[in-house]
Amino acid sequence: MNVLAIETSCDDTGVAIYDGDRARLLSNQLYSQIELHNRYGGVVPELASRDHLRKAMPLVYKALDEAAISIHEINGIGYTAGPGLMSALFVAGSIARSLAMALNIPVLGINHLEGHLLAVMLEDNKPDFPFLSLLVSGGHTLLVHVKAIGQYQILGQSLDDAAGEAFDKTAKLLGLPYPGGAHLAKLAQQGDPKRFNFPRPMTDRPGLDFSFSGLKTHAINTLSKTDADARSKADIARAFEDAVVATLFIKCRRALVQTGLKRLVITGGVGANMALRQCLKTQLDADVYYPRQQFCTDNAAMIAYAAYQRLCRGESDDLTIRALPRWSLESLRSPLN
Ligand code: KG4
Ligand code: ZN
């Protein structure tokens, strides 16, 4: 079964084709809108949806070209139906629904977070179920007990800024371009880990929830007490990254003890952070897995994988175009049930 997937939930237009029966990704196309939103310092939803509209169909043709198949060899379509920006979600939804109707094939709206949770399954080195997943992206910070496909229990989440959001806001404060996570991580490599010591929020009390907005305020206050020179900025970047990594480490260790799980998957955009991967890999009593960098950040390959798992078990949508800005992972069901 060849599944075409379209992802337009935020600022990346993604199109992928996945041959599920042979577990082969035939094409993975991505167009990033970073340039478009850079000058505004964040994503402008109206600009995002218009650009998705311009880019999505050309990427579908490009994906078919790369996969060397005709559109008539597509047997099912998946699209990100949420969570995400309403107007942006509608782009993938309407294209997917229209193509499915024209080709008379099934279509299914996929939860973006389920895509992130399952992205690691595209790798040769993938975990067995169940596992603990640390999903850290621009919009979410979640600790999830992944019992099987569609069976997700949220153990902890951010009460304010997501980890990626905190990276981006702190990066902006340090004068780095949007989105700043990777830029901040690069700057942190030159920073002195001993000069500043940032707090590890919510680690001194029980529980698995997170709060990262205080770290950004801490960064503002620290910067205001320095000359705001290049060295100070690098030292602040280092202290900030160390604090986020240490906080995520403490919560992952706690969640592993609480659940008795021995496998951890790090995923989502911040999951591409090398300091985080290194810390969790070397210091936790668990086998640690992660998708390659391009499957950590937003992409359509993970949506194609999730869609295949559900479509091949007979799941599909009716004529509705689904666009759900908020869509809880825990409301999903296993396709096997
Ligand atoms: O998963 P993703 O592509 O989009 C969402 O679904 O949110 O994640 C994007 C986030 C951004 O906040 C970006 O700054 C962050 O991931 N990010 C990083 C790194 N690479 C991307 N944060 C820290 N270190 C990185 N190397
Ligand atoms: Zn994402």
Side-chain angles (χ1 to χ4, degrees), residues 223-294:
L223 187 67
S224 70
K225 287 181 202 140
T226 69
D227 298 336
D229 55 321
R231 172 139 302 280
S232 297
K233 287 183 180 175
D235 295 343
I236 288 171
R238 179 59 188 261
F240 172 85
E241 186 182 58
D242 283 354
V244 174
V245 169
T247 304
L248 293 173
F249 163 73
I250 291 166
K251 296 289 165 112
C252 284
R253 187 177 53 190
R254 212 177 266 179
L256 287 167
V257 170
Q258 189 177 306
T259 56
L261 291 169
K262 289 283 177 204
R263 290 179 285 268
L264 171 74
V265 173
I266 317 166
T267 195
V270 184
N273 185 282
M274 289 303 167
L276 176 67
R277 285 185 181 185
Q278 192 58 21
C279 169
L280 299 184
K281 228 174 119 174
T282 54
Q283 295 187 42
L284 282 175
D285 180 24
D287 292 328
V288 176
Y289 301 81
Y290 37 80
R292 75 194 74 165
Q293 191 144 344
Q294 83 214 66

Side-chain angles (χ1 to χ4, degrees), residues 15 34 76 161 170-171 249 272 310:
V15 172
I34 283 178
D161 290 356
T170 305
F249 163 73
R310 291 180 173 278

Side-chain angles (χ1 to χ4, degrees), residues 112 116 137-139 164-165 167-168 179-182 185 268-270 272-273 296-298:
H112 179 83
H116 275 304
S137 72
E165 196 179 350
F167 261 98
D168 293 342
V270 184
N273 185 282
C296 271
T297 45
D298 285 352

Side-chain angles (χ1 to χ4, degrees), residues 10-13 30-44 47-48 51-52 55 168 176-183 297-298:
C10 189
D11 58 351
D12 290 302
T13 317
L30 191 79
Y31 173 79
S32 164
Q33 298 180 351
I34 283 178
E35 292 280 304
L36 179 69
H37 302 292
N38 203 344
R39 77 175 107 145
Y40 303 101
V43 179
V44 183
L47 294 182
D51 210 41
H52 285 311
K55 296 294 179 339
D168 293 342
L176 300 169
Y178 170 86
H183 295 284
T297 45
D298 285 352

Side-chain angles (χ1 to χ4, degrees), residues 129-184:
F129 294 106
F131 56 82
L132 176 71
S133 185
L134 173 68
L135 199 175
V136 268
S137 72
H140 297 86
T141 306
L142 295 170
L143 269 170
V144 186
H145 184 161
V146 180
K147 297 173 184 174
I149 291 176
Q151 289 180 33
Y152 311 119
Q153 182 190 359
I154 295 174
L155 305 171
Q157 57 195 311
S158 179
L159 304 178
D160 43 53
D161 290 356
E165 196 179 350
F167 261 98
D168 293 342
K169 287 178 175 171
T170 305
K172 191 173 176 184
L173 170 82
L174 298 175
L176 300 169
Y178 170 86
H183 295 284
L184 189 148

Side-chain angles (χ1 to χ4, degrees), residues 66-245:
E66 195 193 9
I69 59 171
S70 110
I71 198 155
H72 299 287
E73 291 170 84
I74 297 290
N75 314 106
I77 302 182
Y79 67 94
T80 304
L85 304 170
M86 183 67 137
S87 55
L89 290 167
F90 262 116
V91 176
S94 31
I95 292 175
R97 183 64 262 178
S98 314
L99 282 176
M101 197 178 278
L103 297 167
N104 197 22
I105 55 175
V107 62
L108 189 62
I110 295 294
N111 184 298
H112 179 83
L113 301 174
E114 177 172 54
H116 275 304
L117 290 181
L118 299 180
V120 70
M121 295 306 189
L122 291 162
E123 301 297 351
D124 291 337
N125 184 26
K126 53 178 181 262
D128 291 330
F129 294 106
F131 56 82
L132 176 71
S133 185
L134 173 68
L135 199 175
V136 268
S137 72
H140 297 86
T141 306
L142 295 170
L143 269 170
V144 186
H145 184 161
V146 180
K147 297 173 184 174
I149 291 176
Q151 289 180 33
Y152 311 119
Q153 182 190 359
I154 295 174
L155 305 171
Q157 57 195 311
S158 179
L159 304 178
D160 43 53
D161 290 356
E165 196 179 350
F167 261 98
D168 293 342
K169 287 178 175 171
T170 305
K172 191 173 176 184
L173 170 82
L174 298 175
L176 300 169
Y178 170 86
H183 295 284
L184 189 148
K186 203 162 164 224
L187 184 62
Q189 284 173 4
Q190 299 155 30
D192 175 0
K194 297 208 180 76
R195 179 160 167 209
F196 302 117
N197 188 24
F198 280 31
R200 276 63 172 146
M202 292 183 70
T203 53
D204 56 353
R205 65 186 99 157
L208 295 169
D209 287 335
F210 305 90
S211 165
F212 289 112
S213 68
L215 281 180
K216 170 196 62 197
T217 314
H218 200 85
I220 296 173
N221 294 340
T222 308
L223 187 67
S224 70
K225 287 181 202 140
T226 69
D227 298 336
D229 55 321
R231 172 139 302 280
S232 297
K233 287 183 180 175
D235 295 343
I236 288 171
R238 179 59 188 261
F240 172 85
E241 186 182 58
D242 283 354
V244 174
V245 169

